[in-house]
Amino acid sequence: MQEPQTEGNVMCPTVDSADHTATVAPSDRSVRLRAAWTAAWDESDVDVLNDLLSPSYVRLRGPQGVEQSREGFKESIRAVREAFPELRTEIEDLVEDGDRLAVRWRSTGRHTGPFLGVPPTGRPIEVSGATFARFEGDSIVEERVTFDSRQLLEALGIITTAQGTAVEPELVRGVHRKFITGVTVVTTTDDEGAPRGLAVNAFASISLDPPMVLVCVQRSSSTHPVLHRSSHLGINILAAGQLDVAKVFAGKGQDKFDRIEWSPGTHGTPLIDGSSAQLEVEIGERIEAGSHTVFTGRVVSASHAERAPLVYSGGGFFDISTTAPLPW
Ligand SMILES: Cc1cc2nc3c(=O)[nH]c(=O)nc-3n(C[C@H](O)[C@H](O)[C@H](O)COP(=O)(O)O)c2cc1C
């Protein structure tokens, strides 16, 4: 989906969520989408999609945006249903923003029919992803869908799991411990405007012009669904003196922001006092990858201070303000 049109952190006040208390009744679009999804994905009644999807509907799949027409989409649902007749799709979150609707979903089923030329394996599958729909009037004209297809193909043994099993996660963890990072706190606000956040070291610059960054957030984190619904996120690069802040945000609890000093940035994201640097980011892509979602976005505000950053290395935290720079 393209970036939401609204300012502020929450995409829009129309909320229809399993995770959050609804503050406003779901719109007709949300209700129709939910009903059509259940009929099509859970009951194989794909023709109901004719009422929801415009004849010119285009579905863009994956980061490459592979195109699929309405009929092609219906055909692929039929094929999936034949392969996984018990398929159940749960809409975990649904957020509306003007003409746009974002859906976070999770499907579970069992492989009891041929799929992509693979005979039934009887294996259980679980796939989660996100769909971003754009309405024109009553109909969806475009949908962008992102999910980790590798997860599904590996579960069915369609692609080799050799890459997954040949390198033990613990070994990979050992490699990551050799990579020095800073520590950020990624923040947003929930539907009630309350600040939320977690410690994240999976932060990287993508591009300077335009200024773009990414963060990777585990789907199991309690901040994840809130971030997924948000149009903006804040990134606070912690200073060496903020170990206590890192501990707060590496932990759990709804009261994290009661234990620190912060204030909202110009785009509404919570910014933590005393940070080494701060960014506000308008979220662009939300890419499902393994256990995490990669949030990319465009930097909309930035600041930095004369404070040494907190350093994370080998599972420990360091203050590098006293280290000597190497000659270069
Ligand atoms: C130094 C450090 C770096 C971390 N980096 C990440 C990260 O990049 N992505 C992530 O999802 N969690 C990361 N975590 C873990 C989360 O901060 C942690 O699971 C937190 O409790 C999640 O909080 P929540 O469930 O309230 O959202 C990191 C933790 C630490 C201590």
Side-chain angles (χ1 to χ4, degrees):
M1 168 168 150
Q2 288 156 26
E3 293 79 6
Q5 305 297 305
T6 50
E7 276 293 274
N9 228 29
V10 176
M11 287 175 77
C12 109
T14 303
V15 173
D16 179 16
S17 155
D19 300 317
H20 305 278
T21 311
T23 50
V24 180
S27 78
D28 185 45
R29 285 176 176 164
S30 301
V31 172
R32 288 175 55 234
L33 184 136
R34 231 177 232 284
W37 269 44
T38 304
W41 283 107
D42 289 3
E43 295 153 16
S44 307
D45 186 5
V46 293
D47 288 331
V48 297
L49 293 173
N50 292 348
D51 292 336
L52 184 71
L53 309 180
S54 149
S56 62
Y57 166 86
V58 180
R59 188 165 184 259
L60 303 162
R61 287 175 300 166
Q64 282 81 30
V66 178
E67 287 195 13
Q68 198 172 36
S69 67
R70 185 172 79 176
E71 288 311 307
F73 177 38
K74 284 162 60 179
E75 198 42 57
S76 68
I77 295 177
R78 280 194 201 99
V80 168
R81 293 282 314 162
E82 276 174 30
F84 309 94
E86 303 164 5
L87 195 76
R88 285 288 169 273
T89 297
E90 187 192 342
I91 292 184
E92 296 185 317
D93 208 0
L94 197 152
V95 185
E96 212 171 326
D97 174 32
D99 284 338
R100 295 166 200 277
L101 227 155
V103 185
R104 208 159 48 75
W105 50 265
R106 192 170 63 91
S107 296
T108 48
R110 187 170 295 279
H111 182 210
T112 57
F115 184 64
L116 299 177
V118 175
T121 59
R123 295 187 193 178
I125 57 115
E126 179 174 328
V127 183
S128 43
T131 300
F132 305 95
R134 182 165 63 80
F135 276 82
E136 270 178 22
D138 283 345
S139 309
I140 295 175
V141 287
E142 186 187 282
E143 254 178 13
R144 202 172 266 278
V145 60
T146 158
F147 68 96
D148 191 353
S149 53
R150 193 173 181 89
Q151 202 186 356
L152 172 64
L153 300 178
E154 276 189 351
L156 298 182
I158 292 175
I159 56 172
T160 174
T161 54
Q163 281 173 303
T165 53
V167 183
E168 289 297 327
E170 267 315 303
L171 179 56
V172 178
R173 192 195 298 272
V175 170
H176 292 332
R177 286 165 73 93
K178 298 289 182 199
F179 191 63
I180 294 175
T181 70
V183 183
T184 77
V185 175
V186 172
T187 62
T188 189
T189 53
D190 67 16
D191 300 328
E192 279 78 42
R196 300 291 302 270
L198 80 167
V200 164
N201 69 339
F203 158 72
S205 164
I206 299 175
S207 138
L208 268 185
D209 188 11
M212 292 182 69
V213 296
L214 67 81
V215 290
C216 304
V217 177
Q218 52 192 317
R219 271 195 296 279
S220 58
S221 113
S222 74
T223 313
H224 179 274
V226 188
L227 271 174
H228 214 281
R229 303 163 62 77
S230 299
S231 63
H232 290 69
L233 58 81
I235 298 172
N236 300 269
I237 297 176
L238 295 186
Q242 288 182 305
L243 188 55
D244 50 342
V245 178
K247 282 183 185 159
V248 167
F249 286 91
K252 301 280 176 191
Q254 300 289 313
D255 64 340
K256 295 180 188 180
F257 285 84
D258 298 342
R259 294 149 68 189
I260 58 140
E261 297 295 322
W262 66 279
S263 58
T266 45
H267 296 266
T269 62
L271 298 179
I272 297 174
D273 292 6
S275 300
S276 197
Q278 298 168 325
L279 297 174
E280 287 185 279
V281 174
E282 187 175 335
I283 299 173
E285 302 285 333
R286 298 160 176 83
I287 301 162
E288 304 302 324
S291 53
H292 284 55
T293 300
V294 184
F295 294 90
T296 72
R298 189 182 277 249
V299 174
V300 289
S301 82
S303 67
H304 57 88
E306 287 300 317
R307 291 188 197 102
L310 180 62
V311 166
Y312 184 66
S313 174
F317 296 89
F318 297 85
D319 177 351
I320 54 158
S321 51
T322 53
T323 53
L326 293 170
W328 172 251

